[in-house]
Amino acid sequence: MAKTEVKTSLLDNMIGVGDMVLLEPLNEDTFIDNLRKRFDHNEVYTYIGSVLVSVNPYRSLPIYSPEKVEEYRNRNFYELSPHIYALSDEVYRSLRDQDKDQCILITGESGAGKTEASKLVMSYIAAVCGKGAEVNQVKEQLLQSNPVLEAFGNAKTVRNDNSSRFGKYMDIEFNFKGDPLGGVISNYLLEKSRVVKQPRGERNFHVFYQLLAGASEELLNKLKLKRDVSRYNYLSLDSATVNGMDDAANFRTVRNAMQIVGFLDHEAQSVLEVVATVLKLGNIEFKPDSRVNGLDESKIKDKNELKEICELTGIDQSVLERAFSFRTVEAKQEKVSTTLNVAQAYYARDALAKNLYSRLFSWLVNRINESIKAQTKVRKKVMGVLDIYGFEIFEDNSFEQFIINYCNEKLQQIFIELTLKEEQEEYIQEDIEWTHINYFNNTIICDLIENNTNGILAMLDEECLRPGIVTDETFLEKLNQVCATHQHFESRMSKCSRFLNDTSLPHSCFRIQHYAGKVLYQVEGFVDKNNDLLYRDLSQAMWKTSQPLIKSLFPEGNPAKINLKRPPTAGSQFKASVATLMKNLQTKNPNYIRCIKPNDKKAAYIFSETLVRHQVRYLGLLENVRVRRAGYAFRQAYGPCLERYKMLCKQTWPHWKGPARSGVEALLNELEIPVEEYSFGKSKIFIRNPRTLFKLEDLRKQRLEDLATLIQKIYRGWKCRTHFLLMRKSQIVIAAWYRRYAQQKWYQKTKSSALVIQSYIRGWKARKLLRELKHQKRCEEAVTTIAAYWHGTQVRREYRKFFRAYAGKKIYEFTLQRIVQNYFLDMKNKMPSLSPIDKNWPSRPYLFLDSTHKELKRIFHLWRCKKYRDQFTDQQKLIYEEKLEASELFKDKKALYPSSVGQPFQGPYLAINENPKYKKLKDAIEEKIIIAEIVNKINRANGKSTSRIFLLTNNNLLLADQKSGQIKSEVPLVDVTKVSMSSQNDGFFAIHLKEGSEAASKGDFLFSSDHLIEMATKLYRTTLSQTKQKLNIEISDEFLVQFRKDKVCVKFIQGSQNNGSVPMCKRKNNRLLEVAVP
Ligand SMILES: Nc1ncnc2c1ncn2[C@@H]1O[C@H](COP(=O)(O)OP(=O)(O)O)[C@@H](O)[C@H]1O
Ligand SMILES: [Mg+2]
């Protein structure tokens, strides 16, 4: 897995330099510039070798996510950009893998980010160390101890809204696997003066505000508190709320944390009761009260508050009241009670409040320790995290600042000692020549403070224990005598008169030149604070409480254990605990986080150069770099070094077969780096000058670009080729599949075609066979049938004569012949006469002879008609011909016809030849006369008729006067176009003439004759024989006749019987000639 990880380095993508050791040139300005540059780019961490410098960003940066934790987990320290996680990981892994106890020393000014850093370390360790239910519980308890201690030990100061007002050192214990087992917390000197008084703009400890803001009404009632900050004298009002801090929510967090850490309900309750008691103590006020003997006395103004405190703590009110009024001093078995004046009473009250609170705090730490202590007795590995208050310089610096700064001085000392020692040890270990370098050693300052005979703390203790009047001034005097010659001690009134004229140094002060700067201490309060006196009456009163927690806080109040020895002073206590701490730290491998505060405004993005410069100076960071660089600026194990730079040399690239050290040697030789620039240690290469390293880096960067191009080239080639091969392979596969598919298709098609053809052929063959078989079968059947018939016929023919049925037929035929014979013989005798008009005919003897009988009758009739006709002469034949013609023309058409049948046609009725009257007429006519008859010519004008002789010759039609025989009109037959007549029984007829002919000038003729049928027939026949044209004979009861110029309609009507049987002709009007027919 590690193999596949990309090897990176702190040197990659560096802003400024990630490690100050590489700074070139190295001076204060470049150092600060580098810090600023990194700060501006959100890089708040920078290394000085293995020391982490952290600049407080004052805003949350996205660099503490779980992903970041994973990123830094199990990575080498210089592999990634500087981070607190890198340091934490390094520490944790050293602890786990190298079996060496570790400690992390976090130093810096108040507000520089120490507490945050310690929390980040803890959270990182918690995230990467072992898992499991039990381990998780331990982790939770360790982490949750923080909110509890912060609530009781932190407060808002002008420097920091969440300033730790106590020093904290926490040992986290692990088993051999690296799983956390538990922890031990040590606390150092809580700033208890804050309980009763806070500087302007600052707050009391968080817990007071949290309680008032977050407690339920019920809880407040129980604690006899009001939710009103302004009611309590110990709480500062001007900054009761802090921006961005939700006291109520924090209160719930704290209660929850207490529960997780393992506080029992009644314990938590008692803790809050103590907090309430402290608050209420501040509200007890005193007034002067004069007694008879004239001594100053005080009296409690309002006893209500006292009463409530007593109810809350279970102390007898009178006992507490007395304790606030008297002070009992015991000397040599004698008890002397003196009254307290108002100021003393207030002093006593505040002393009680401070003690109560600070003892409660210590109790809390112990209680937490009880919960988080490791349960097993197995050997533990320990990681210590020290978050101690930073170096403090205020306007008014008092005992607390003195103590705090002393502690920092000690830490600086151990820092110098250990850093140097470590560096030296490394050179010895690596067999490198080492030259000593100068640095400021602050042992001398430590000595000034802690020296047992003439140290300031010793002087203070001495003053406190000295009988007689002891004040802060006497203490200062003593210092002025003892420390006057010390280089780092300054006082106006010191024996040596160096500072006599130094006006910046007030009379009641002394100044110490700390490693981090000069600090002016107000001597006022030193003695009191060092004594840390609580009147015995008060501790005894407190011991009498019914509340077990408070009782346990004041063990010296137990009368049975009266100890006349003074308790150790605060100063000596602190000195002792610092000494223990130092001893503890010295046994461990130290790791440093040096916090720097970028500005005084608690603001993000502001980098105050002067402020940072000051811190850089007193933290001795530059010296740190110098020490680190004294010998060699950069060192790296051979393996990683070769890995990082092997591409710079042909021999080592891409793989070096031999040991890493000789690889590095070959590399440096090839690069022609001067030999004085580096040294070979046992496991590391030491590079003297950062420039050399940067040169290496530059070369590497250049080479990496070339390599990247090369890799890119090879990769692209490889990719293209792989792609091509894949495509080709795919193409082959596709082609194969396609061919297979096509072949399959083709085969299937061929196969099915073959099948179709096959089936057709088989069908055809089968049908052919079937046809043949059928034919054969039919032939056989036919042959059989024919043979059968043939045989049948043969047989019948042969045997017919023997059949009876045949005899019947013969008899029948014979009988029939006889009957017919008899019929004909009989008929011969019965024949009727030969007259064609004889209708007789013998009856038919047999029904079956009906048709024969009729045929016979017809034949006979035809025969006798022929016989009859054969008798006619030519004359007679002609007459009958004419009659026949008339019959054809008029039969069934003209009602007059039947009456004409019996009349023989005579033609020339008038015997013109004989009558002399007509001699002239006869001469005029040369041709043969066919008709000569008298007709009535109808007058066209009135319908009256006139008799005329009508003559028809072969070519002409002649009309002549009946009397004179004079020819009236002559019409050639060719001019006759039509003959019209009625269908009725009259003799009227009209002869129409050809229009335009000469004869037609007088108009058509209208006649009436008794022999109309004969005349019409003869006219027809003559016209036909002469002109070869059939004369048109129109038979109609209404026809038009041309009279001169008019056309007149001749209409035949059924006339009345009145006029007899003669038709009447009458001209009706111009157009109509009516003929009434009887
Ligand atoms: N790493 C950090 N990231 C963001 N803010 C920080 C960081 N360190 C410190 N701070 C801010 O600075 C304030 C002071 O830090 P703190 O650790 O309490 O200072 P110290 O303990 O040194 O007095 C914190 O309350 C927080 O707002
Ligand atoms: Mg802090």
Side-chain angles (χ1 to χ4, degrees):
M1 162 122 168
K3 281 251 170 76
T4 60
E5 264 174 29
V6 184
K7 282 272 180 231
T8 54
S9 165
L10 157 94
L11 299 165
D12 294 325
N13 306 323
M14 210 163 56
I15 294 159
V17 290
D19 192 340
M20 290 293 190
V21 172
L22 304 176
L23 205 58
E24 188 65 36
L26 175 68
N27 58 47
E28 204 173 78
D29 289 332
T30 52
F31 189 98
I32 288 162
D33 267 356
N34 190 40
L35 273 186
R36 178 209 290 279
K37 197 168 170 194
R38 291 179 64 74
F39 179 80
D40 288 345
H41 286 84
N42 295 334
E43 290 282 353
V44 295
Y45 297 113
T46 310
Y47 295 143
I48 302 175
S50 60
V51 174
L52 180 75
V53 178
S54 154
V55 185
N56 186 352
Y58 277 120
R59 69 200 163 94
S60 65
L61 293 175
I63 53 170
Y64 305 115
S65 57
E67 291 78 39
K68 275 278 170 193
V69 170
E70 280 311 312
E71 197 181 324
Y72 278 89
R73 190 176 188 158
N74 288 328
R75 300 291 281 265
N76 285 327
F77 190 61
Y78 292 109
E79 208 176 303
L80 297 172
S81 61
H83 199 292
I84 191 163
Y85 287 169
L87 181 104
S88 311
D89 196 69
E90 178 75 11
V91 172
Y92 176 67
R93 281 192 300 136
S94 309
L95 175 95
R96 191 188 56 191
D97 305 335
Q98 289 171 19
D99 202 16
K100 178 139 198 232
D101 288 352
Q102 302 283 330
C103 66
I104 299 175
L105 307 182
I106 308 172
T107 54
E109 277 190 29
S110 173
K114 299 181 296 294
T115 308
E116 293 297 323
S118 78
K119 285 193 259 184
L120 286 169
V121 170
M122 300 245 293
S123 68
Y124 181 85
I125 303 292
V128 300
C129 70
K131 303 230 151 51
E134 216 170 293
V135 173
N136 281 346
Q137 198 201 342
V138 174
K139 278 190 210 170
E140 257 318 275
Q141 285 190 336
L142 288 175
L143 291 177
Q144 290 300 328
S145 65
N146 258 332
V148 182
L149 290 180
E150 282 193 12
F152 286 86
N154 286 24
K156 176 202 154 90
T157 67
V158 284
R159 310 266 156 125
N160 182 354
D161 289 346
N162 183 34
S163 181
S164 323
R165 306 316 299 161
F166 67 106
K168 180 180 156 198
Y169 173 76
M170 184 172 188
D171 266 336
I172 311 171
E173 298 166 333
F174 296 85
N175 65 9
F176 71 98
K177 288 189 289 184
D179 293 345
L181 297 171
V184 184
I185 296 169
S186 316
N187 68 316
Y188 300 98
L189 194 72
L190 181 76
E191 185 202 36
K192 58 190 170 192
S193 62
R194 185 168 293 273
V195 176
V196 297
K197 191 165 184 289
Q198 304 89 37
R200 173 163 298 188
E202 302 196 353
R203 286 209 317 183
N204 209 327
F205 293 100
H206 294 323
V207 68
F208 295 111
Y209 304 91
Q210 289 175 354
L211 177 63
L212 291 186
S216 64
E217 287 300 332
E218 192 195 345
L219 180 59
L220 283 181
N221 282 341
K222 235 191 220 170
L223 299 177
K224 301 185 193 300
L225 291 176
K226 295 275 168 337
R227 198 190 296 284
D228 181 4
V229 176
S230 63
R231 286 177 71 103
Y232 299 98
N233 295 336
Y234 280 169
L235 300 185
S236 64
L237 298 177
D238 55 339
S239 49
T241 53
V242 182
N243 271 352
M245 202 182 272
D246 183 349
D247 285 324
N250 286 345
F251 183 68
R252 287 189 287 277
T253 312
V254 170
R255 302 254 355 212
N256 188 40
M258 285 174 100
Q259 211 169 13
I260 292 173
V261 171
F263 281 75
L264 302 174
D265 281 348
H266 74 266
E267 285 174 329
Q269 181 69 23
S270 304
V271 168
L272 294 180
E273 279 169 9
V274 175
V275 174
T277 307
V278 172
L279 264 189
K280 293 175 88 67
L281 272 177
N283 284 4
I284 294 181
E285 288 180 343
F286 302 96
K287 59 184 181 193
D289 187 26
S290 252
R291 274 255 206 103
V292 201
N293 54 14
L295 281 170
D296 280 344
E297 282 183 25
S298 68
K299 215 176 144 192
I300 292 172
K301 265 190 202 162
D302 177 9
K303 292 197 181 158
N304 201 33
E305 203 75 42
L306 183 72
K307 191 176 137 237
E308 283 184 3
I309 291 175
C310 291
E311 281 169 9
L312 204 58
T313 52
I315 301 173
D316 194 9
Q317 194 180 334
S318 58
V319 173
L320 195 56
E321 197 178 346
R322 201 194 134 71
F324 280 131
S325 316
F326 293 94
R327 181 186 173 192
T328 308
V329 181
E330 264 175 75
K332 296 171 193 163
Q333 268 101 40
E334 236 180 284
K335 272 190 189 176
V336 183
S337 277
T338 49
T339 55
L340 300 177
N341 61 23
V342 174
Q344 286 170 327
Y346 273 117
Y347 178 84
R349 176 197 76 169
D350 287 349
L352 177 61
K354 287 193 278 187
N355 267 292
L356 190 54
Y357 190 80
S358 70
R359 289 174 190 212
L360 172 70
F361 187 73
S362 300
W363 178 87
L364 275 172
V365 173
N366 288 334
R367 177 65 190 80
I368 290 172
N369 280 337
E370 218 169 275
S371 277
I372 64 174
K373 77 168 176 233
Q375 301 297 324
T376 56
K377 291 242 152 43
V378 294
R379 209 179 73 80
K380 299 157 205 152
K381 301 178 179 187
V382 179
M383 179 193 291
V385 180
L386 181 68
D387 166 24
I388 204 130
Y389 18 54
F391 198 84
E392 277 181 358
I393 310 173
F394 293 130
E395 265 171 43
D396 288 335
N397 301 294
S398 182
F399 182 69
E400 285 86 358
Q401 277 68 45
F402 178 71
I403 291 291
I404 288 171
N405 291 345
Y406 161 59
C407 176
N408 276 281
E409 204 71 63
K410 289 294 282 180
L411 283 173
Q412 175 68 8
Q413 191 187 21
I414 198 171
F415 170 69
I416 292 168
E417 238 175 56
L418 291 180
T419 325
L420 216 62
K421 202 171 93 194
E422 199 188 25
E423 189 80 10
Q424 269 170 328
E425 272 172 7
E426 185 167 24
Y427 287 130
I428 293 163
Q429 209 175 18
E430 292 285 335
D431 241 351
I432 299 278
E433 220 177 289
W434 162 248
T435 42
H436 185 77
I437 64 129
N438 278 330
Y439 58 92
F440 172 68
N441 192 339
N442 70 339
T443 324
I444 183 165
I445 307 172
C446 295
D447 191 60
L448 169 67
I449 298 168
E450 66 179 1
N451 188 300
N452 280 336
T453 50
N454 55 3
I456 296 175
L457 283 176
M459 295 299 113
L460 185 58
D461 276 1
E462 225 178 274
E463 268 306 283
C464 289
L465 294 174
R466 183 172 63 87
I469 296 165
V470 176
T471 61
D472 296 319
E473 283 71 34
T474 58
F475 164 61
L476 184 57
E477 254 170 52
K478 191 160 194 157
L479 286 186
N480 285 340
Q481 285 173 16
V482 179
C483 308
T485 53
H486 199 282
Q487 279 171 292
H488 293 265
F489 181 83
E490 299 170 6
S491 169
R492 195 89 177 256
M493 305 301 287
S494 73
K495 256 192 347 195
C496 98
S497 49
R498 278 185 295 161
F499 305 102
L500 255 177
N501 299 318
D502 190 344
T503 46
S504 67
L505 195 59
H507 287 281
S508 59
C509 297
F510 66 92
R511 192 157 60 191
I512 294 181
Q513 268 187 41
H514 283 291
Y515 76 98
K518 291 184 177 180
V519 182
L520 187 70
Y521 295 104
Q522 298 278 345
V523 82
E524 190 196 333
F526 263 63
V527 174
D528 263 351
K529 285 174 180 169
N530 191 40
N531 266 329
D532 191 23
L533 263 189
L534 181 66
Y535 298 149
R536 184 165 298 155
D537 306 69
L538 280 171
S539 50
Q540 282 177 351
M542 294 313 284
W543 187 80
K544 290 197 180 110
T545 172
S546 61
Q547 225 240 46
L549 173 61
I550 299 178
K551 205 183 190 91
S552 71
L553 295 182
F554 293 90
E556 81 272 23
N558 187 349
K561 284 191 191 165
I562 283 187
N563 185 358
L564 286 181
K565 244 181 87 185
R566 288 182 65 106
T569 60
S572 57
Q573 263 184 42
F574 190 74
K575 195 172 112 184
S577 58
V578 165
T580 331
L581 176 67
M582 294 306 140
K583 222 178 257 167
N584 185 354
L585 293 179
Q586 264 156 356
T587 63
K588 297 188 164 86
N589 185 37
N591 299 275
Y592 297 95
I593 301 176
R594 319 227 70 182
C595 297
I596 288 179
K597 191 172 160 173
N599 62 67
D600 260 337
K601 302 186 174 76
K602 305 174 191 171
Y605 303 111
I606 299 175
F607 188 90
S608 156
E609 200 185 306
T610 43
L611 195 71
V612 174
R613 187 181 294 273
H614 179 68
Q615 292 172 80
V616 167
R617 245 180 230 170
Y618 76 67
L619 285 174
L621 295 184
L622 222 54
E623 280 87 349
N624 193 182
V625 182
R626 289 208 182 99
V627 167
R628 182 88 187 164
R629 267 169 50 157
Y632 298 91
F634 186 76
R635 68 217 61 190
Q636 198 171 26
Y638 289 120
C641 177
L642 186 63
E643 186 69 27
R644 189 163 180 84
Y645 301 111
K646 64 178 179 179
M647 69 289 289
L648 297 180
C649 164
K650 276 200 181 111
Q651 293 171 53
T652 51
W653 179 256
H655 298 294
W656 175 255
K657 295 269 156 48
R661 182 186 161 136
S662 45
V664 175
E665 260 173 61
L667 188 105
L668 294 176
N669 278 336
E670 167 130 351
L671 292 175
E672 290 176 351
I673 292 173
V675 276
E676 63 274 15
E677 273 298 312
Y678 54 87
S679 286
F680 293 102
K682 276 183 183 158
S683 65
K684 289 179 182 169
I685 174 80
F686 289 76
I687 293 172
R688 194 175 294 279
N689 204 317
R691 258 169 304 181
T692 313
L693 181 71
F694 291 142
K695 186 181 161 195
L696 283 177
E697 275 298 306
D698 285 345
L699 287 172
R700 180 175 179 271
K701 212 166 149 193
Q702 182 61 43
R703 180 81 179 116
L704 277 186
E705 270 166 28
D706 296 348
L707 283 177
T709 318
L710 184 74
I711 291 169
Q712 231 173 29
K713 188 182 86 182
I714 292 171
Y715 171 72
R716 286 202 184 127
W718 171 82
K719 203 177 155 190
C720 279
R721 181 159 168 76
T722 331
H723 186 65
F724 164 74
L725 288 177
L726 187 74
M727 297 256 283
R728 203 178 67 172
K729 213 169 125 189
S730 312
Q731 185 268 329
I732 291 170
V733 170
I734 293 168
W737 277 93
Y738 175 73
R739 285 200 193 117
R740 185 190 126 123
Y741 168 79
Q743 282 296 313
Q744 267 178 351
K745 270 261 141 139
W746 180 84
Y747 168 74
Q748 273 163 3
K749 211 165 150 184
T750 316
K751 191 175 156 183
S752 59
S753 313
L755 280 176
V756 169
I757 295 168
Q758 231 172 34
S759 62
Y760 271 104
I761 291 173
R762 284 194 189 132
W764 172 74
K765 272 186 178 170
R767 277 192 300 279
K768 197 173 143 196
L769 183 67
L770 183 68
R771 240 185 346 260
E772 276 168 11
L773 288 174
K774 271 184 177 170
H775 179 71
Q776 203 179 336
K777 195 179 164 196
R778 262 215 307 278
C779 286
E780 278 168 12
E781 276 173 7
V783 167
T784 318
T785 311
I786 292 167
Y789 273 97
W790 172 248
H791 286 302
T793 316
Q794 284 292 93
V795 170
R796 273 194 301 278
R797 201 175 277 163
E798 206 173 320
Y799 290 94
R800 184 170 296 151
K801 47 191 179 268
F802 308 115
F803 285 170
R804 253 192 167 193
Y806 196 68
K809 199 178 169 191
K810 278 247 151 124
I811 293 164
Y812 165 74
E813 278 171 5
F814 179 75
T815 316
L816 208 59
Q817 271 177 8
R818 286 305 304 164
I819 288 172
V820 171
Q821 199 175 17
N822 283 343
Y823 167 70
F824 283 118
L825 287 176
D826 200 29
M827 279 300 283
K828 190 180 128 191
N829 302 328
K830 286 181 185 171
M831 276 296 139
S833 69
L834 284 177
S835 166
I837 51 171
D838 187 358
K839 298 261 190 252
N840 288 328
W841 187 254
S843 61
R844 144 177 67 80
Y846 299 100
L847 185 63
F848 82 94
L849 286 173
D850 190 42
S851 55
T852 318
H853 196 65
K854 279 181 185 156
E855 187 64 16
L856 211 56
K857 182 184 173 183
R858 198 184 63 86
I859 293 168
F860 178 74
H861 180 70
L862 288 177
W863 175 74
R864 75 182 172 190
C865 283
K866 182 162 176 1
K867 277 273 174 197
Y868 181 74
R869 279 198 309 273
D870 286 350
Q871 295 163 13
F872 288 171
T873 59
D874 285 349
Q875 189 72 35
Q876 278 172 315
K877 271 187 194 167
L878 203 64
I879 288 168
Y880 281 109
E881 256 175 38
E882 274 182 352
K883 278 285 178 188
L884 193 64
E885 189 87 67
S887 151
E888 277 166 10
L889 287 173
F890 301 108
K891 192 177 177 189
D892 300 333
K893 292 176 190 163
K894 177 84 178 152
L896 187 67
Y897 171 72
S899 62
S900 76
V901 174
Q903 299 167 0
F905 293 168
Q906 289 171 12
Y909 287 90
L910 277 181
I912 291 170
N913 292 341
E914 281 110 59
N915 199 338
K917 237 178 30 174
Y918 303 125
K919 170 102 172 52
K920 235 170 139 184
L921 185 61
K922 188 207 152 201
D923 293 344
I925 298 162
E926 289 150 14
E927 294 157 311
K928 188 190 164 206
I929 292 169
I930 298 163
I931 294 174
E933 166 67 315
I934 306 269
V935 293
N936 292 322
K937 180 179 172 277
I938 309 300
N939 193 323
R940 291 151 185 148
N942 50 19
K944 301 258 174 65
S945 55
T946 345
S947 294
R948 289 281 187 267
I949 298 167
F950 184 95
L951 290 173
L952 176 69
T953 65
N954 275 348
N955 290 315
N956 291 307
L957 192 77
L958 298 157
L959 289 179
D961 191 75
Q962 192 197 355
K963 286 173 188 151
S964 63
Q966 192 185 352
I967 296 173
K968 286 279 184 185
S969 35
E970 185 173 355
V971 181
L973 278 184
V974 283
D975 289 346
V976 176
T977 55
K978 191 168 93 176
V979 175
S980 300
M981 66 188 70
S982 78
S983 64
Q984 297 181 29
N985 196 13
D986 65 301
F988 283 89
F989 69 100
I991 292 177
H992 301 274
L993 301 177
K994 190 191 269 177
E995 260 180 84
S997 65
E998 195 189 339
S1001 58
K1002 282 183 190 163
D1004 299 339
F1005 297 107
L1006 187 60
F1007 303 107
S1008 144
S1009 167
D1010 293 339
H1011 302 106
L1012 167 63
I1013 298 297
E1014 185 186 354
M1015 286 170 83
T1017 305
K1018 282 202 163 140
L1019 190 59
Y1020 179 82
R1021 280 177 65 91
T1022 315
T1023 313
L1024 187 65
S1025 67
Q1026 290 303 313
T1027 65
K1028 309 296 178 214
Q1029 274 179 349
K1030 278 186 180 173
L1031 183 65
N1032 189 7
I1033 294 172
E1034 187 186 333
I1035 296 169
S1036 165
D1037 286 347
E1038 221 179 273
F1039 49 82
L1040 290 174
V1041 180
Q1042 189 81 30
F1043 284 172
R1044 276 179 210 263
K1045 285 194 175 74
D1046 308 320
K1047 272 202 184 347
V1048 176
C1049 178
V1050 180
K1051 195 174 179 186
F1052 294 84
I1053 52 165
Q1054 208 72 38
S1056 58
Q1057 257 358 81
N1058 305 356
N1059 308 344
S1061 59
V1062 186
M1064 286 293 292
C1065 186
K1066 213 172 180 179
R1067 177 88 188 225
K1068 280 280 178 191
N1069 55 39
N1070 277 356
R1071 303 271 168 221
L1072 184 65
L1073 196 79
E1074 217 173 61
V1075 181
V1077 185

